Amino acid sequence: MFALIGVALVIVGFALRINPLLVVTVAGIATAAIAGIGPVEILDAFGTGFAGSRSVTTFVIVLPVIGLIERYGLQDQAKHLIGKLSKLTTGRLLAAYLFIRQVTAAVGLNSIGGPAQTVRPLVYPMAEGAAVQKYGDLPEKMTEKIKGHAAGADNVGVFFGEDIFVAIGSILLITSFVDTTYNLTLEPLALALWAIPTGVAALLIHGTRLLLLDRQLSRMAFLPAPPKGLARVDE
Amino acid sequence: MLTNEWLYWLIGAFFIGVAVHILNNPENPRRIASGTFWGLLGVSFGYGTFVQSKQAPAWILGIVVLVMVALAGFGLTARSPEKTTTPGERADSARRFGNKLFIPALLVPVVTVLVATVGPLITIGGTPLLADGSATLTGLGVSAIIAVVVAVLILRPPSLGTPLHESGRLLEAIGWAALLPQMLSTLGILFTQAGVGKAVGTIAGWVLPEGSLFAAVVVYAVGMAVFTIIMGNAFAAFPIMTAAVGWPVLVQTFGGNPAAVFAIGMLSGFCGTLATPMAANFNLVPAALLEMKDKYGPIKAQLPTAGLLLLVNVGIMYFVAF
């Protein structure tokens, strides 16, 4: 039962808003120490854990080119371009991106998009451009909402698309873990097929929410919130 | 055969380049600590190659990792003041270059796809050019190099250091969140070694009503989501919840189809990933890259979808896996 102290530490540390890096490190060390794992083995675990998970950080390699073209006005140009297409609303654009992201991830192309690769340079400025075209200058509340949904469409698309591809990390993790631990021989393809129903549900649910985003944005643009003093009187 | 290691070395060199840039920037209020953080991160990316191949002891890297955690975790690092073009300059240059600006941005996905699909087919003297499973990341690295070269040729920036300077700006905005995913994967290893899965299984045994398949499905799916929220990573939650409930209860006791139970269990974990700031690379990094005021903005946008999908997963697992 003492093994769960680490889990409790993570929860408490997060509730106290301590830097997550510190929380995670202390929780890991405490859990290992309680389980009788020696100091050198703990350091070994931090070393091998870091070395084995370097692929999570590979997205940074596109930052030089993204930073450079942004310096020369990429986001402005994306907004300008989308402003010419009046039928393309923010919600429709993000729903289309969700679909493309999910389908490409399902065929194994999960690195072609991402917050650095596509969301910051292309998807967000286009989504904002579509809103500017419709509503004019946007208040911060609306740009924040569009930014959140631009990042969200990317995440939902890749999470619930990639598992349909057989050679993706999560599928291989399942097969390698259960095959070695429980002596099974699971086919990656069988796992990938079982990811399809949830994938379809994700597209329907999140796609619908993105299409409804247009209405929300219209409400935010045309019905500005009453000043704070007034709202308080109403309550 | 090419593995992904060259890309990790390139990324390491990039981090070191940013580190040198910060160390030489007198305007950064904590340039020594900040430069040391990125420099150590860069060195660790190269050293990691030898840890992976077991040619170098892992504990040295472990110490370096703890130093980086201390530097960033105790707030000893700081961001350099932003120096880039003004909005007016950007609008002017957008008019000047027009749609040419999209060429480098679109080269990234296009070249990645090309390398990922054509790369595995290339063989040299009978051995494949790319190691198994390395095609996509190789594609990402190749596309990033080609795109930056093309961008420099089109835009003619004032110096070749400009891409480094501009990316340093983006990298410093991400800050310590760049290290968190790798720390969480270590936490997962330590938790599994320490027997957290067994402890959770014992508790689940107390909580679960005897013989209720529905309750067991709910505990497995919701447990995957909750542990993913705590540990920031469904991969870390999977061994814990599968050892606790997925295998002993759902597969062994209730005779569930293992492929369906495990696949849908993992996807339930992904619902947790949508909802947790611990999944820094998916939720905090985009907020930093998009310069959001509310760093939980992406999570707020994803939360309703995550909740609904978790319900859907419980339903699918209950009705089709047994």
Side-chain angles (χ1 to χ4, degrees):
Chain A
M1 273 317 104
F2 289 115
L4 292 177
I5 285 176
V7 178
L9 279 175
V10 173
I11 297 171
V12 171
F14 193 72
L16 294 177
R17 293 172 176 258
I18 300 170
N19 182 298
L21 276 182
L22 290 179
V23 173
V24 166
T25 308
V26 171
I29 294 175
T31 306
I34 291 165
I37 300 173
V40 179
E41 281 96 339
I42 296 179
L43 286 176
D44 274 337
F46 277 108
T48 45
F50 179 93
S53 58
R54 284 170 295 163
S55 61
V56 197
T57 314
T58 44
F59 72 89
V60 300
I61 201 63
V62 301
L63 292 182
V65 65
I66 299 301
L68 181 64
I69 47 184
E70 275 187 2
R71 179 192 170 92
Y72 287 93
L74 175 77
Q75 294 192 344
D76 293 74
Q77 184 61 19
K79 284 177 195 171
H80 174 72
L81 190 71
I82 222 68
K84 290 183 188 163
L85 306 166
S86 56
K87 283 219 164 144
L88 209 51
T89 62
T90 303
R92 286 179 201 162
L93 186 124
L94 289 179
Y97 179 68
L98 169 74
F99 178 73
I100 295 170
R101 185 80 168 110
Q102 198 173 10
V103 169
T104 48
V107 296
L109 302 170
N110 58 329
S111 310
I112 67 170
Q117 295 98 310
T118 44
V119 176
R120 165 145 183 163
L122 298 169
V123 177
Y124 164 65
M126 287 183 173
E128 196 194 281
V132 170
Q133 158 83 12
K134 202 165 161 190
Y135 310 114
D137 275 344
L138 303 176
E140 187 178 67
K141 218 177 140 196
M142 285 174 77
T143 56
E144 285 276 307
K145 184 128 202 130
I146 297 171
K147 284 175 178 178
H149 274 288
D154 188 76
N155 279 336
V156 173
V158 72
F159 288 5
F160 298 97
E162 63 170 20
D163 255 24
I164 299 169
F165 183 65
V166 290
I168 198 72
S170 49
I171 296 280
L172 300 177
L173 178 109
I174 296 175
T175 52
S176 69
F177 174 75
V178 299
D179 287 3
T180 51
T181 318
Y182 307 121
N183 296 317
L184 295 171
T185 43
L186 282 188
E187 278 297 324
L189 187 63
L191 288 160
L193 286 177
W194 284 110
I196 293 177
T198 307
V200 172
L203 181 64
L204 293 177
I205 292 172
H206 203 68
T208 309
R209 286 193 55 223
L210 288 173
L211 294 175
L212 292 176
L213 176 65
D214 283 333
R215 287 199 206 167
Q216 268 184 306
L217 290 174
S218 291
R219 269 200 304 273
M220 288 167 95
F222 299 127
L223 293 174
K228 270 185 187 157
L230 282 180
R232 213 165 276 152
V233 171
D234 285 344
E235 281 163 18
Chain B
M1 260 199 312
L2 267 181
T3 61
N4 288 328
E5 296 300 332
W6 72 271
L7 179 59
Y8 298 143
W9 281 74
L10 184 66
I11 291 171
F14 168 54
F15 285 146
I16 292 171
V18 170
V20 172
H21 199 76
I22 294 173
L23 286 172
N24 285 326
N25 184 355
E27 285 175 41
N28 185 311
R30 301 212 175 99
R31 60 187 169 129
I32 304 290
S34 308
T36 309
F37 175 80
W38 292 109
L40 285 176
L41 191 59
V43 173
S44 303
F45 262 71
Y47 187 80
T49 303
F50 305 113
V51 172
Q52 280 284 81
S53 62
K54 304 207 185 314
Q55 288 168 296
W59 60 267
I60 296 179
L61 183 55
I63 293 175
V64 175
V65 167
L66 293 184
V67 172
M68 288 190 283
V69 167
L71 282 173
F74 289 113
L76 303 175
T77 57
R79 284 174 66 178
S80 311
E82 285 209 357
K83 257 196 191 164
T84 181
T85 45
T86 63
E89 287 170 334
R90 288 186 179 204
D92 285 347
S93 111
R95 264 193 297 279
R96 184 152 61 98
F97 291 105
N99 289 336
K100 275 195 221 159
L101 284 164
F102 290 120
I103 296 172
L106 293 174
L107 271 176
V108 174
V110 170
V111 175
T112 306
V113 172
L114 265 181
V115 176
T117 47
V118 178
L121 307 176
I122 302 172
T123 57
I124 293 174
T127 53
L129 176 67
L130 301 175
D132 223 17
S134 72
T136 342
L137 283 186
T138 303
L140 184 66
V142 171
S143 70
I145 296 169
I146 293 178
V148 83
V149 171
V150 169
V152 166
L153 291 177
I154 295 178
L155 303 170
R156 308 266 165 194
S159 98
L160 285 178
T162 310
L164 190 67
H165 169 78
E166 294 292 332
S167 53
R169 180 169 61 84
L170 299 175
L171 202 55
E172 288 190 69
I174 299 172
W176 56 262
L179 187 58
L180 187 59
Q182 285 176 278
M183 297 309 296
L184 285 160
S185 97
T186 309
L187 184 71
I189 297 173
L190 289 172
F191 272 13
T192 308
Q193 280 181 6
V196 172
K198 282 200 197 100
V200 174
T202 316
I203 291 179
W206 299 338
V207 180
L208 272 182
E210 193 83 24
S212 166
L213 170 62
F214 185 71
V217 168
V218 170
V219 168
Y220 184 51
V222 176
M224 272 299 297
V226 169
F227 263 88
T228 304
I229 288 172
I230 294 172
M231 305 180 60
N233 189 338
F235 294 11
F238 183 78
I240 293 176
M241 283 312 296
T242 300
V245 182
W247 173 253
V249 182
L250 291 178
V251 176
Q252 287 195 305
T253 309
F254 286 107
N257 170 351
V261 169
F262 298 147
I264 300 167
M266 183 64 97
L267 290 165
S268 306
F270 287 5
C271 296
T273 317
L274 290 176
T276 177
M278 285 292 185
N281 50 329
F282 295 113
N283 296 327
L284 299 184
V285 167
L289 278 175
L290 293 170
E291 293 159 289
M292 295 183 73
K293 285 262 149 39
D294 180 5
K295 63 176 175 166
Y296 295 143
I299 294 177
K300 286 177 186 160
Q302 291 159 184
L303 214 46
T305 302
L308 285 171
L309 267 182
L310 186 58
L311 290 179
V312 169
N313 278 330
V314 168
I316 296 177
M317 199 191 293
Y318 181 72
F319 286 111
V320 302
F322 296 91

